[in-house]
């Protein structure tokens, strides 16, 4: 997990195939009667306001390389040698449970050896596949938000995925 | 080169913005500082409301999008201080937890071995009949909402006059509580999450927040990535995802934490770098006398120093495996007053047969070095469950507890409780009930042999999967005559499968609720959607049973004035029959229960505000006090003047619940003791159990969320590469693990999610198809009675398929 000199290594390769919305404006209805009764000013007070699906804590910072500087440098070099970033593309709900959900990842995630940012900071075409740019500030621990769609391990499961009757926002009803 | 890199960074940042603009299509904020925003079509029938996340003790707030009576989306709540709009992958998918296809929707009774549907009326009758008999126990949960836990506690202690109520939090944070009690005389952290935004050094003591408290981890990483100088130190028995971000990773032998903490204290004294002024003014020293107690006996500074003498860096290395230089590095940091140090811990220190001791020791080095009380200087325990603090520690749903930190053994406390409950003197039983392990042991023992627990009603938890040594503490009960297991839950679980009576429950936003997170923050939400089928609120179930007992003539269900114990008056002053489901939501029962419970919270300065304040807020941290201007304000840092209103003027720091009654906190001497079971020739491996980010505890909710299931469908055994070589296994091969208590086969994952050192195996406990707790040890801490799931001895053998 660490290089011999103790520096932190990679964080993961995460492809965000669906670029989707970084911010989602959603129309909200008047507050529930219950809130009104307690004199509460609830967030969704009838005004549409921006919803951040993967926001930053503070304001965007220009110095955000910190301990990962070397990795980012390598990424930039890689980008240049591969002909620069690819900007994609039609937002898709394919890999999301609902509009605004973090997309799941259509490839294995090896948090311990590679870094999502390497491909997804500006986007890349890698081996004929599009690695779309992340629509939000880079976060160092991508696997806290994005999980693989497939078994990330050499261990196939004998069970089948659970059945769910959830119908996500923006998704067609079954 | 540096300059070039910087320029490239700037170019990348711009490219990112440009990319986002392209992707999103519109709107970049004036400063150009935020990524682009994209508008979704407005959905006129979509309603959003706030709730805390259902899962972990971090206590993030989500906003829940409801359309046509169903939860359809979730977003991080920008107004919430805990998470500032961010969630982890579990939180983003929390809405899906409601919609697994196999929700329980009907009460079911076991007849001739099969669970068959019965009516709620019959079901409530059966529970009431069992409650009238001797040996009835309630096994609750840190996922009970606060009003549910309060109702359960009142039903048992004020109604049935029994203290046989204990929660799963006994398995989870009981040692943190006894640690706080033995040091400060009152439980729960003095600091809060704000410390994470201010500390210069963060020490993880057997803690993996990248997977277990992800949003807190993000709060810290965000600072690090922004270039702030925060030193992250990981002390643990295996490398985890969190280790990957740390500046120092100190891998220790199991139980080595006791030696490390003592070693740090010894170096601070030897070098004179402890905070003499702080210690002289605010601390005293303690150790166990001949008969160990939670309060211990006073010792002198010299005795304390003498007791630490053996813990030289070299001896600490022998006990813990941590290098002398690393220990000195830790002592150097604690010795510096210009740094702010926060310690975080969770199960590593709590699931420990010396859990109370190690908790006290870590508090001790913070006190000794004066790293206490300033923002960023804090020893802070985290909880795993959404309301372990709120419903267990604060509501006192424990065999020895009463609400508000009161104790059943204390005559004064019983009097206060009886007064608030308006029940006759003597109603509250002075004898503590059975704690969790004891309760289940007795449930698994024939009545004739002292097994005095006949019925357990399990609510909002899954002991059939989480109890240690399942073959001894759960399974035998299923073969004994007269033992009856009742389970209220939302899905079929390892526990409902063996239950005699199953009650379908409403969950999360299918009901009103309140939680209390790890930083003393009390949170409230309203019901947003209907529960499926006949599923009903747990609080309703408790009230309905109480009423049935009342109607059957149980004298305990009436107060001194002959009124029903849970009488709820409507706006017109008339009693509302809330025990009838059709009328349960005629009034806000949560609010009534909470307002009554609130009276208890002033005794130990854990003051809660009126219910209405929580409706407005994204949680408030207690003590919440009404100031002169009428505003209710929370407390971020306890015991500190200017922050905590209960601290006397000019005191600076005041430990006003001091066990020595002189406003001092206790610095404990706790010698190293070996774990109860260590690997030997026969069982040569350490086994550690734990969690993964995808699944919340026993996975009953998260294993029904397709996104999370696909990422992590089943359990595995994490094996060090060298051990795998020796055992002759590759990834995917099966390994048979065996302890003195049980046997289990698991697929091998070499250096899996984490990386165990040689000689250590790790198995997550989320998978009901591979119950690792058939292997674990039920030995527990003498004070907290919390078992140790982190270390026992096993052997491993490759399974050769035939
Ligand atoms: S960190 Fe915990 S509370 Fe926050 S979203 Fe994740 S599971 Fe929920």
């Amino acid at each position: 997990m660490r290089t011999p000199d103790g520096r932190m290594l990679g964080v993961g390769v995460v492809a965000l195939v669906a670029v989707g919305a970084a911010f989602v404006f959603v129309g909200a209805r008047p507050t529930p009667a219950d809130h009104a009764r307690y004199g509460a000013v609830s967030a969704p007070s009838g005004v549409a306001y921006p919803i951040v699906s993967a926001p930053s804590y503070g304001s965007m910072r220009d110095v955000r390389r910190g301990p990962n500087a070397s990795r980012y440098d390598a990424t930039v070099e890689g980008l240049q040698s591969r002909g620069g970033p690819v900007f994609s593309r039609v937002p898709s709900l394919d890999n999301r449970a609902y509009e605004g959900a973090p997309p799941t990842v259509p490839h294995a995630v090896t948090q311990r050896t590679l870094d999502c940012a390497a491909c997804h900071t500006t986007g890349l075409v890698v081996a004929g596949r599009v690695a779309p740019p992340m629509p939000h500030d880079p976060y160092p621990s991508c696997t806290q938000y994005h999980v693989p769609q497939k078994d990330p391990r050499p261990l196939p499961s004998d069970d089948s995925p659970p059945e769910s009757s959830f119908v996500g926002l923006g998704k067609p009803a079954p | 080169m540096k300059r070039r890199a910087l320029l490239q960074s700037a170019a990348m940042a711009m490219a990112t913005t440009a990319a986002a603009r392209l992707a999103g299509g519109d709107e970049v904020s004036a400063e150009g500082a935020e990524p682009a925003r994209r508008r979704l079509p407005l959905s006129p029938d979509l309603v959003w409301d706030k709730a805390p996340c259902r899962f972990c003790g971090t206590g993030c707030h989500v906003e829940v999008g409801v359309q046509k009576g169903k939860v359809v989306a979730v977003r991080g709540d920008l107004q919430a201080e805990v998470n500032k709009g961010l969630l982890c992958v579990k939180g983003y998918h929390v809405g899906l937890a409601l919609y697994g296809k196999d929700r329980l929707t009907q009460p079911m009774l076991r007849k001739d071995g099969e669970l068959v549907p019965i009516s709620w009326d019959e079901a409530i009758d059966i529970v009431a009949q069992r409650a009238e008999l001797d040996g009835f126990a309630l096994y609750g949960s840190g996922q009970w909402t606060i009003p549910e836990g309060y109702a359960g506690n009142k039903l048992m202690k004020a109604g049935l006059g029994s203290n046989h109520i204990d929660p799963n939090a006994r398995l989870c944070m009981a040692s943190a509580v006894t640690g706080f009690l033995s040091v400060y005389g009152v439980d729960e952290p003095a600091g809060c999450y704000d410390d994470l935004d201010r500390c210069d050094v963060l020490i993880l003591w057997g803690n993996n927040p990248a997977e277990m408290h992800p949003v807190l981890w993000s709060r810290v990483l965000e600072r690090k990535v922004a270039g702030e100088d925060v030193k992250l130190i990981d002390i643990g028995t295996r490398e985890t995802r969190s280790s990957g971000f740390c500046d120092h990773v100190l891998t220790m032998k199991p139980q080595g934490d006791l030696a490390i903490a003592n070693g740090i204290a010894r170096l601070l004294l030897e070098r004179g770098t402890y905070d003499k002024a702080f210690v002289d003014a605010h601390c005293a020293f303690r150790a166990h006398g001949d008969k160990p107690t939670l309060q211990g006996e006073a010792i002198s500074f010299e005795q304390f120093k003498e007791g630490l003498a053996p813990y030289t860096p070299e001896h600490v290395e022998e006990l813990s495996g941590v290098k002398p230089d690393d220990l000195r590095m830790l002592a150097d940091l604690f010795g510096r007053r210009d740094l702010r140090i926060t310690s975080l811990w969770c199960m590593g220190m709590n699931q420990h047969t010396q859990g109370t001791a190690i908790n006290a020791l870590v508090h001790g080095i913070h006190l000794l070095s004066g790293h206490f009380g300033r923002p960023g200087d804090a020893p802070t325990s985290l909880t795993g469950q959404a309301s372990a603090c709120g419903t267990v520690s604060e509501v006192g749903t424990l065999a020895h507890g009463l609400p508000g930190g009161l104790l059943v053994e204390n005559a004064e406390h019983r009097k206060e409780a009886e007064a608030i409950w308006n029940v006759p003197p003597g109603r509250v039983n002075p004898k503590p009930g059975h704690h969790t392990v004891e309760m289940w042991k007795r449930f698994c023992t024939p009545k004739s042999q002292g097994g005095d627990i006949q019925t357990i009603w399990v609510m909002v938890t899954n002991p059939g999967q989480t109890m240690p040594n399942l073959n001894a503490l759960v399974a035998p009960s299923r073969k004994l005559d007269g033992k009856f297991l009742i389970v209220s839950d939302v899905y079929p679980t390892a526990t409902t499968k063996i239950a005699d009576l199953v009650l379908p429950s409403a969950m999360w936003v299918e009901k009103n609720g309140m939680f209390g997170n790890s930083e003393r923050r009390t949170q409230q939400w309203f019901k947003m959607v209907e529960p499926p089928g006949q599923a009903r609120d747990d609080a309703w179930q408790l009230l309905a049973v109480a009423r049935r007992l009342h109607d059957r003539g149980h004298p305990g269900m009436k107060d001194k004035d002959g009124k029903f114990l849970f009488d709820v008056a409507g706006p017109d002053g008339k009693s509302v029959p809330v025990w009838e489901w059709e009328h349960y939501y005629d009034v806000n029962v949560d609010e009534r229960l909470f307002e009554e419970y609130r009276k208890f919270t002033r005794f130990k300065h854990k003051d809660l505000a009126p219910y209405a304040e929580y409706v407005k807020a994204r949680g408030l941290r207690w003590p919440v006090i009404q100031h002169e201007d009428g505003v209710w304000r929370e407390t971020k840092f306890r015991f500190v003047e200017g922050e905590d209103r209960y601290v006397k003027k000019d005191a600076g720091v005041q430990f006003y619940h001091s066990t020595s009654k002189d406003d001092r906190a206790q610095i404990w001497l706790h010698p190293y003791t070996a774990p109860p079971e260590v690997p030997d020739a026969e069982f040569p491996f350490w086994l550690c159990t734990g969690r993964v980010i995808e699944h919340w505890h026993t996975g009953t909710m998260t294993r029904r969320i397709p996104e999370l299931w696909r990422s992590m469908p089943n359990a595995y055994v994490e094996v060090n590469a060298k051990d795998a070589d020796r055992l002759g296994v590759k990834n995917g091969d099966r390994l048979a693990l065996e302890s003195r208590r049980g046997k289990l086969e698991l697929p091998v994952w070499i250096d899996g999610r984490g990386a165990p050192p040689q000689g250590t195996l790790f198995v997550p406990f989320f998978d009901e198809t591979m119950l690792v707790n058939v292997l674990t040890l039920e030995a527990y801490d003498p004070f907290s009675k919390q078992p140790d799931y982190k270390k026992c001895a096993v052997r491993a053998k490759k399974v050769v398929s035939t």
Side-chain angles (χ1 to χ4, degrees):
Chain A
M1 233 175 236
R2 289 175 310 147
T3 54
D5 64 353
R7 216 179 11 221
M8 186 184 87
L9 256 184
V11 180
V13 176
V14 178
L16 316 181
V17 147
V19 173
F23 287 74
V24 182
F25 272 87
V26 186
R29 291 277 286 273
T31 56
D34 278 333
H35 283 283
R37 196 151 49 78
Y38 292 94
V41 184
S42 171
S45 56
V47 191
Y49 71 107
I51 298 309
V52 187
S53 58
S56 148
Y57 278 110
S59 54
M60 178 119 161
R61 292 152 170 143
D62 43 11
V63 190
R64 51 166 55 259
R65 297 302 166 230
N68 302 334
S70 60
R71 198 174 60 232
Y72 284 92
D73 290 348
T75 308
V76 173
E77 262 149 13
L79 278 173
Q80 286 169 342
S81 65
R82 280 179 261 182
V86 175
F87 298 135
S88 62
R89 120 212 145 136
V90 191
S92 157
L93 264 171
D94 287 355
N95 300 321
R96 298 171 192 262
Y98 55 90
E99 184 65 72
T104 52
V105 184
H107 56 72
V109 175
T110 319
Q111 167 133 347
R112 301 169 72 222
T113 51
L114 286 163
D115 181 5
C116 344
C119 299
H120 292 287
T121 301
T122 53
L124 274 180
V125 177
V126 186
R129 291 174 80 177
V130 175
M134 53 181 113
H136 54 75
D137 296 353
Y139 273 82
S141 187
C142 317
T143 50
Q144 287 181 196
Y145 323 100
H146 301 284
V147 292
Q149 280 163 21
K150 283 188 295 205
D151 205 340
R153 301 170 281 127
L155 317 171
S157 177
D158 295 338
D159 307 339
S160 40
E163 282 184 70
S164 175
S165 58
F166 177 79
V167 181
L169 179 65
K171 292 273 203 180
Chain B
M1 183 61 206
K2 263 226 163 104
R3 202 182 121 71
R4 204 182 123 227
L6 206 74
L7 285 173
Q8 285 172 337
S9 296
M12 278 176 68
M14 282 163 60
T16 307
T17 310
R21 192 185 295 142
L22 283 173
D26 62 25
E27 261 197 87
V28 177
S29 71
E31 302 80 42
E34 286 185 37
R37 301 169 178 186
R38 195 179 63 84
R39 288 200 174 145
L40 270 186
L42 297 179
S43 298
D45 57 346
L46 183 68
V47 178
W48 296 89
D49 203 352
K50 62 144 192 171
C53 173
R54 171 65 181 78
F55 298 125
C56 88
T58 299
C60 298
H61 270 91
V62 303
E63 288 184 304
V64 184
V66 175
Q67 202 171 34
K68 299 194 188 90
K70 301 269 184 210
V71 175
V72 295
V74 159
R75 61 194 187 192
D77 190 335
L78 282 168
Q79 295 184 55
E81 281 170 284
V82 171
N83 53 308
K84 301 177 173 93
L86 190 70
L87 299 172
C88 80
V89 68
K90 282 193 293 292
Y92 283 117
H93 293 94
V94 59
L96 282 73
L98 274 53
Y99 298 107
K101 278 275 192 193
D102 55 346
R103 275 291 295 266
L104 298 171
T105 55
Q106 191 150 29
M108 286 181 295
L109 180 68
R110 195 170 297 279
K111 286 180 183 159
D112 304 323
E114 293 291 312
L115 284 171
V116 296
I118 58 168
S119 71
W120 264 114
D121 193 54
E122 283 173 84
I124 294 296
D125 224 43
I126 294 168
V127 183
Q129 284 173 33
R130 296 297 307 193
E132 283 168 345
L133 303 174
D134 282 345
F136 178 80
L138 186 56
Y139 184 62
S141 170
Q143 299 155 66
W144 253 342
T145 67
I146 289 169
E148 285 164 0
Y150 180 72
N153 215 9
K154 186 176 176 184
L155 169 66
M156 293 301 292
K157 287 166 186 163
L160 297 172
S162 160
N163 294 325
H164 291 320
I165 166 173
D166 217 45
N168 62 2
R170 182 74 76 176
L171 313 174
C172 152
M173 43 69 93
S175 297
V177 173
T178 46
F180 284 121
L181 290 174
S182 71
V183 173
Y184 310 100
V186 65
D187 67 352
E188 295 201 30
C192 62
Y193 299 159
D194 295 42
D195 292 312
L196 300 173
D197 305 334
R198 295 291 301 278
C199 61
D200 303 300
V201 178
L202 181 71
I203 307 180
L204 308 175
W205 296 82
N207 190 207
N208 176 15
E211 293 196 75
M212 283 13 129
H213 300 86
V215 166
L216 297 184
W217 193 234
S218 301
R219 247 169 111 149
V220 178
L221 291 184
E222 175 93 340
R223 293 181 58 205
K224 190 131 173 131
V225 169
E228 285 186 50
D229 188 13
V230 203
K231 199 186 275 295
L232 306 179
I233 301 175
D234 179 34
I235 306 176
T237 57
R238 93 188 222 275
E239 289 202 15
T240 65
R241 276 190 172 170
S242 304
S243 318
F245 297 93
C246 288
D247 301 277
H248 300 277
V249 178
L250 278 47
T251 304
M252 66 166 204
K253 295 181 198 168
Q255 206 96 338
D257 43 7
L258 295 163
I260 295 167
N262 280 326
I264 294 169
R266 188 190 157 281
L267 282 170
L268 287 168
L269 296 188
E270 183 189 77
R271 298 162 167 186
T273 51
Y274 72 102
D275 190 338
K276 188 162 186 313
F278 187 89
V279 172
D280 286 351
H282 306 300
C283 305
F285 297 92
R286 289 267 148 163
H288 285 311
D290 297 335
K291 193 173 167 286
T293 65
L294 202 50
Q295 286 72 38
E297 288 175 15
I299 55 168
S300 67
F301 176 73
E302 279 65 39
Q303 285 172 303
F304 177 66
K305 200 168 172 178
E306 226 169 86
L308 289 177
Y311 299 98
T312 61
E314 292 67 32
H315 186 50
V316 170
E317 184 182 16
E318 272 166 47
L319 296 173
S320 70
V322 165
K323 298 264 171 302
D325 280 352
D326 284 335
L327 189 74
R328 290 196 185 94
M329 179 266 299
L330 290 170
D332 286 346
L333 294 171
F334 274 103
R336 282 176 58 181
R337 227 67 63 220
D338 60 322
L339 295 176
R340 301 199 177 190
I341 305 180
T342 294
S343 286
L344 282 187
W345 66 91
C346 196
M347 293 310 125
M349 266 171 50
N350 293 344
Q351 294 181 336
H352 197 307
T353 50
Q354 291 292 315
T356 307
I358 184 60
N359 269 266
L361 289 177
V362 173
H363 289 295
I365 50 180
H366 274 267
L367 293 166
L368 195 62
S369 61
H371 285 289
F372 184 95
R374 296 183 306 179
D377 264 337
T380 297
S381 80
L382 299 172
T383 52
Q385 300 184 82
S387 197
C389 284
T391 305
V392 173
S393 152
E394 293 157 29
V395 177
T397 48
L398 293 148
H400 62 279
L402 288 165
L406 307 186
L407 301 169
V408 297
E409 281 173 301
N410 183 313
E412 278 304 307
H413 292 181
R414 291 198 301 277
K415 232 171 92 188
E416 298 285 5
E418 285 159 354
I420 292 173
W421 286 333
N422 194 34
V423 293
R427 177 69 66 78
V428 177
N429 189 334
K431 194 167 168 267
H434 298 314
H435 61 80
T436 296
V437 171
E438 193 61 31
M439 180 192 286
W440 286 89
K441 213 176 245 172
R442 287 169 187 256
F443 189 54
C444 289
T445 306
K447 196 174 179 183
S448 56
Q449 292 164 35
D452 61 356
I453 296 294
Q454 308 307 319
T455 304
I456 300 183
W457 184 5
V458 175
M459 291 189 114
V460 212
T461 184
N462 189 9
Q465 188 163 344
T466 54
M467 288 300 292
N469 195 1
L470 286 169
N471 291 336
L473 293 183
V474 176
S477 72
R478 306 295 72 214
K479 297 183 193 97
L480 291 177
D481 275 350
K483 306 282 178 178
F484 196 77
L485 183 60
I486 306 165
V487 183
S488 296
D489 214 322
V490 301
Y491 285 111
T493 67
T495 317
T496 63
K497 277 176 199 153
I498 55 171
D500 299 294
L501 178 64
V502 176
L503 307 175
S505 292
M507 70 179 283
W508 196 45
V509 297
E510 293 166 355
K511 61 188 183 187
N512 287 344
M514 300 183 85
F515 280 160
N517 83 345
S518 291
E519 57 162 357
R520 296 177 274 109
R521 185 184 292 275
T522 311
Q523 307 155 304
Q524 176 276 349
W525 76 91
F526 287 122
K527 174 174 176 165
M528 302 174 203
V529 296
E530 287 299 326
Q534 296 181 39
R536 294 179 185 179
D537 300 30
D538 292 297
W540 175 83
Q541 296 177 26
L542 289 159
L543 264 54
V545 167
R547 184 65 194 193
R548 191 61 56 92
L549 284 162
H550 170 277
D551 295 349
R552 290 167 62 93
H554 194 293
M557 298 302 142
K558 287 189 177 140
D559 70 7
K560 265 197 322 214
D561 305 323
K563 263 196 185 161
F564 176 42
L565 211 51
F566 292 96
D567 184 69
V568 174
D572 57 358
K574 280 203 214 119
S575 295
V576 180
V578 290
W579 54 89
E580 290 168 15
W581 178 240
E582 309 74 58
H583 293 289
Y584 185 66
Y585 275 94
D586 288 0
V587 284
N588 186 343
V589 175
D590 260 37
E591 181 179 14
R592 304 308 174 88
L593 291 169
F594 181 77
E595 289 298 336
E596 184 181 297
Y597 156 56
R598 204 159 75 79
K599 297 180 190 155
F600 283 93
T601 61
R602 65 193 157 84
F603 294 113
K604 298 274 182 185
H605 307 98
K606 299 180 174 189
D607 313 43
L608 299 176
Y611 183 84
E613 296 299 316
Y614 297 99
V615 176
K616 292 179 229 171
R618 298 303 189 268
L620 293 169
R621 287 168 279 194
W622 60 259
V624 189
I625 295 174
Q626 191 170 30
H627 287 213
E628 294 68 23
D629 58 3
V631 176
W632 292 85
R633 291 202 175 83
E634 61 172 0
T635 304
K636 289 185 183 174
F637 306 99
R638 287 163 89 201
F639 311 130
V640 179
E641 189 180 353
E643 295 282 349
D644 181 343
R645 281 234 158 175
Y646 285 117
V647 173
K648 278 197 305 252
K649 200 171 171 307
D650 298 327
V653 168
Q654 186 194 355
F655 297 106
Y656 47 73
H657 278 291
S658 168
T659 55
S660 47
K661 309 263 183 277
D662 55 1
D663 292 339
R664 287 171 184 272
Q666 313 300 327
I667 299 177
W668 278 80
L669 181 69
H670 278 297
Y672 173 88
T673 51
E677 186 177 78
V678 291
D680 53 20
E682 215 185 330
F683 297 92
F685 285 98
W686 283 112
L687 172 69
C688 180
T689 71
R691 301 174 276 177
V692 292
I693 187 170
E694 289 89 347
H695 292 300
W696 199 71
H697 292 188
T698 60
T700 52
M701 293 180 281
T702 49
R703 283 186 88 240
R704 287 177 170 86
I705 298 175
E707 282 74 10
L708 298 175
W709 186 93
R710 279 192 220 109
S711 172
M712 182 60 79
N714 290 110
Y716 54 87
V717 53
E718 225 172 72
V719 187
N720 177 287
K722 290 204 177 110
D723 288 332
D725 259 5
R726 228 159 32 81
L727 292 163
V729 289
K730 347 180 263 315
N731 275 331
D733 284 351
R734 290 181 83 77
L735 209 50
L737 303 191
E738 193 177 352
S739 75
R740 292 182 174 85
R741 297 156 292 280
K743 207 172 168 179
L744 177 69
E745 279 184 23
L746 291 143
V748 169
W749 193 5
I750 297 169
D751 285 354
R753 179 59 64 82
Q758 245 182 299
T760 293
L761 305 170
F762 173 87
V763 178
F765 74 90
F766 69 82
D767 189 348
E768 67 178 6
T769 68
M770 298 176 209
L771 294 174
V772 70
N773 280 319
V774 300
L775 304 174
T776 51
L777 187 66
E778 76 267 37
Y780 51 78
D781 177 272
F783 300 103
S784 68
K785 324 290 184 195
Q786 177 168 354
D788 188 332
Y789 294 86
K790 298 294 184 188
K791 37 193 163 311
C792 70
V794 296
R795 59 182 166 223
K797 203 167 167 255
K798 181 177 179 173
V799 179
V800 187
S801 40
T802 41

